[in-house]
Amino acid sequence: MRSWRAVLADPRLRAVAEEQGLRIVFMPRPNLMPYLEAWEPDPCVEVLSYSTADLQTGLASAGVT
């Protein structure tokens, strides 16, 4: 989980997303959800769960603005 936190908190990722007008969406596997309870993601990171979002739809629309 530390690796994902480091990637999602990287200011370079945020800068690229802002420059390109993209969103940063993180959809962790269900077994990681308990570990996210204490995690405060950057406001620019949208965290989705499998119980509320469809993975296939998300992947199909990835990168589409």
Side-chain angles (χ1 to χ4, degrees):
M1 186 63 204
R2 281 184 247 170
S3 297
W4 283 112
R5 287 182 189 174
V7 169
L8 294 170
D10 192 319
R12 296 172 295 178
L13 177 64
R14 183 178 189 165
V16 169
E18 288 175 357
E19 289 171 9
Q20 299 295 318
L22 300 173
R23 299 178 337 186
I24 300 170
V25 178
F26 179 53
M27 192 171 187
R29 296 186 52 81
N31 61 336
L32 287 179
M33 293 307 282
Y35 301 102
L36 296 178
E37 292 176 2
W39 178 52
E40 299 267 345
D42 190 287
C44 72
V45 176
E46 181 180 352
V47 180
L48 299 179
S49 80
Y50 282 78
S51 63
T52 60
D54 180 58
L55 176 63
Q56 295 300 319
T57 302
L59 290 174
S61 65
V64 178
T65 56

